[in-house]
């Protein structure tokens, strides 16, 4: 369409493409129905809400752990109270603590960083690339004698480029914790995300692919890491019935914490897990249709993925040429009834806005992670120290997808995006 003949943008007083809001990005949440109700009532009727005992225990958490492990292709799973608890448990199982450094990306939910700091370790930030996940070419320069773990985050529904990360970890004898909170069900070269490194952490918070409101799960193929994760999340004890025969008599107790999943969460998880493949299939289909409809727009670049076939389809993200054009595009497209945001503005997802980490604000008087006598490194975090990440995150727009989108939703998104592009690009 030649310049000057495009439709008048809604932001300039024109008619918006749509006035009905798109469904929010709550894939599993908007599918909650009779099956979830029945599962919860079954647990309530049993009067046994605690996973280990009760008058009529149903062992829903145990069943969910087993079903989840099978669904993602892992040998073991441990249900916990949240995605943050899953990260803490995973790092603790690997022995992460004071004096250690953990490599993390500049773009992730703050829980990733909080988990590292709460264990007394120090987060070492590394740039992202166009995939919006860890830039493998920048990792090695961040490795120090104090590095213990690389923590790639499978961000916004798509996996990090794991092969080069695995190579770096092997060369430097480092362990890998995968933060798969936002990418349950995704794959990397045929393997489920979260099962590629030493241990993987998932979330079932309301915004995730499947949800129990809150909840998390840890997976691993290592029997040793599994037993350590079980013990850490259950006060350092060995009470889980599955472990009774794996520990010799007189095994020493450890100092742990209580992240035990309850039976209602386990029951909801079992139902939601049966919906996972359908959710993924629908979201991938919607995203593929929209990407096909957006082809050929000069100045609009779809996010590059290390493995497009393994994408969950949870988000559609695309780059604009400059930060200014991205902000203008976001405002105009939102006015057309398609709400998109600039990733930079997503607050506690971007290192630049982690003021509590930059200023080392803790509830304790002394920020032990950095002031621990065992820590000899010099890790720091300052605003603007990652210009590559800053540039990418200021130029990329984010649209959350839902499995219940219709063909009309797809069409409206494409039409609105093309309308704005014709006017602004």
């Amino acid at each position: 369409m030649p310049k000057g003949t495009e439709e008048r943008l809604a932001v300039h007083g024109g008619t918006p493409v749509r006035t009905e809001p798109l469904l929010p990005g709550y894939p599993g949440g908007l599918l909650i129905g009779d099956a979830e109700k029945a599962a919860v009532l079954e647990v309530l009727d049993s009067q046994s809400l605690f996973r280990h005992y009760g008058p009529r225990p149903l062992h829903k958490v145990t069943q969910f752990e087993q079903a989840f492990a099978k669904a993602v292709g892992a040998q073991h799973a441990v249900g916990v109270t949240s995605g943050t608890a899953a990260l803490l448990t995973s790092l603790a199982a690997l022995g992460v603590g004071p004096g250690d450094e953990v490599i993390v990306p500049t773009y992730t939910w703050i829980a990733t960083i909080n988990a590292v700091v709460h264990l007394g370790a120090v987060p070492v930030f590394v740039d992202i690339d166009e995939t919006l996940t860890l830039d493998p070419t920048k990792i090695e320069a961040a490795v120090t004698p104090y590095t213990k773990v690389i923590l790639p985050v499978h961000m916004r529904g798509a996996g990090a480029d794991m092969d080069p990360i695995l190579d770096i970890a092997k060369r430097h004898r480092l362990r890998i914790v995968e933060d798969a909170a936002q990418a349950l069900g995704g794959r990397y070269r045929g393997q489920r995300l979260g099962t590629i490194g030493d241990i993987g952490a998932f979330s079932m918070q309301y915004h995730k692919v499947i949800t129990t409101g809150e909840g998390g799960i840890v997976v691993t193929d290592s029997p040793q890491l599994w037993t350590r994760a079980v013990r850490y999340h259950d006060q350092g004890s060995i009470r889980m019935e599955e472990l009774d025969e794996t520990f010799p008599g007189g095994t020493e107790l450890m100092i742990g914490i209580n992240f035990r999943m309850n039976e209602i969460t386990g029951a909801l998880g079992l139902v939601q897990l049966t919906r996972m493949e359908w959710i993924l299939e629908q979201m991938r289909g919607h995203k593929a249709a929209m990407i096909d409809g957006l082809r050929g727009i000069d100045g609009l670049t779809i996010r590059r993925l290390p493995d497009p076939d393994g994408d969950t389809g949870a988000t559609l993200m695309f780059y604009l040429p400059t930060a200014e054009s991205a902000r203008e595009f976001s405002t105009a497209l939102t006015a057309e009834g398609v709400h998109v945001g600039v990733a930079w503005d997503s607050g506690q997802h971007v290192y630049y806005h982690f003021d509590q980490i930059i200023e080392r604000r803790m509830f304790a008087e002394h920020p032990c992670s950095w002031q621990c006598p065992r820590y000899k490194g010099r890790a720091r975090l300052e605003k603007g120290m990652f210009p590559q990440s800053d540039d990418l995150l200021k130029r990329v727009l984010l649209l959350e997808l839902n499995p219940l989108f219709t063909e009309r939703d797809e069409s409206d998104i494409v039409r609105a995006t093309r309308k704005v592009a014709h006017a602004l690009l």
Side-chain angles (χ1 to χ4, degrees), residues 293-304:
L294 296 176
R295 296 188 192 281
I297 300 178
D298 291 337
L300 188 152
T301 305
I302 302 295
R303 171 194 183 188
R304 176 175 68 84

Side-chain angles (χ1 to χ4, degrees), residues 342-362:
V342 180
W344 180 262
D345 297 332
S346 56
Q348 294 304 296
H349 286 94
V350 180
Y351 88 93
Y352 191 96
H353 307 303
F354 294 167
D355 290 341
Q356 68 275 49
I357 304 298
I358 294 169
E359 299 176 16
R360 301 177 180 179
R361 301 179 196 152
M362 300 184 74

Side-chain angles (χ1 to χ4, degrees), residues 11 127 132 184:
V11 74
D127 259 317
L132 301 173
L184 172 60

Side-chain angles (χ1 to χ4, degrees), residues 231 235-238 250-256:
R231 296 188 72 179
Q235 304 288 18
S237 69
I238 55 172
T251 299
E252 293 182 357
L253 295 174
M254 302 287 287
I255 296 173

Side-chain angles (χ1 to χ4, degrees), residues 156-203:
R156 301 295 188 186
D161 195 359
M162 291 301 297
D163 280 350
I165 294 173
L166 290 168
D167 288 342
I168 294 167
K170 184 177 180 180
R171 285 200 303 273
H172 293 275
R173 298 182 179 180
L174 303 175
R175 311 300 291 272
I176 292 177
V177 173
E178 292 177 74
D179 183 341
Q182 297 187 9
L184 172 60
R187 298 178 185 269
Y188 176 80
R189 299 184 180 178
Q191 191 168 351
R192 294 281 194 185
L193 300 175
T195 69
I196 302 167
D198 295 284
I199 196 165
F202 295 86
S203 170

Side-chain angles (χ1 to χ4, degrees), residues 55-295:
R56 293 179 297 280
L58 300 173
H59 304 297
K60 293 292 186 180
V61 176
T62 299
Q63 294 171 42
F64 178 51
E65 289 170 336
Q66 294 169 348
F68 191 96
K70 182 178 180 180
V72 300
Q75 292 297 312
H76 307 287
V78 181
V80 293
T81 53
S82 68
T84 309
L87 286 164
L88 279 160
T89 300
S90 298
L91 290 165
L94 290 170
V96 171
D100 296 327
E101 291 179 346
V102 177
I103 289 175
V104 296
T106 52
Y107 185 44
T108 182
W109 175 237
I110 187 63
T112 310
I113 314 305
N114 285 342
V116 174
V117 175
H118 268 282
L119 287 171
V122 174
V124 176
F125 288 81
V126 169
D127 259 317
I128 56 169
D129 59 21
E130 294 86 354
T131 69
L132 301 173
T133 63
L134 271 176
D135 183 345
T137 69
K138 300 291 185 71
I139 294 175
E140 206 143 15
V143 175
T144 76
Y146 316 106
T147 308
K148 191 160 192 173
V149 168
I150 303 174
L151 206 169
V153 179
H154 304 309
M155 197 64 181
R156 301 295 188 186
D161 195 359
M162 291 301 297
D163 280 350
I165 294 173
L166 290 168
D167 288 342
I168 294 167
K170 184 177 180 180
R171 285 200 303 273
H172 293 275
R173 298 182 179 180
L174 303 175
R175 311 300 291 272
I176 292 177
V177 173
E178 292 177 74
D179 183 341
Q182 297 187 9
L184 172 60
R187 298 178 185 269
Y188 176 80
R189 299 184 180 178
Q191 191 168 351
R192 294 281 194 185
L193 300 175
T195 69
I196 302 167
D198 295 284
I199 196 165
F202 295 86
S203 170
M204 289 167 292
Q205 184 267 346
Y206 193 70
H207 213 151
K208 303 305 188 289
V209 174
I210 65 171
T211 184
T212 55
E214 285 285 6
I217 201 155
V218 174
V219 301
T220 184
D221 286 342
S222 165
Q224 181 185 31
L225 290 180
W226 175 55
T227 57
R228 287 173 65 88
V230 168
R231 296 188 72 179
Y232 178 79
H233 100 294
D234 195 0
Q235 304 288 18
S237 69
I238 55 172
R239 298 187 322 182
M240 268 184 71
E241 57 273 14
E242 299 94 327
L243 292 178
D244 284 346
E245 297 180 4
T246 66
F247 287 94
T251 299
E252 293 182 357
L253 295 174
M254 302 287 287
I255 296 173
I257 200 165
N258 176 11
F259 287 148
R260 293 186 300 258
M261 179 179 284
N262 69 70
E263 287 286 276
I264 289 178
T265 300
L268 287 169
L270 278 167
V271 176
Q272 283 270 304
L273 190 61
T274 66
R275 305 187 191 282
M276 182 182 75
E277 290 298 346
W278 183 86
I279 290 171
L280 295 172
E281 180 184 2
Q282 296 302 307
M283 293 194 301
R284 288 169 179 151
H286 297 317
K287 184 172 181 178
M290 286 182 273
I291 289 176
D292 190 56
L294 296 176
R295 296 188 192 281

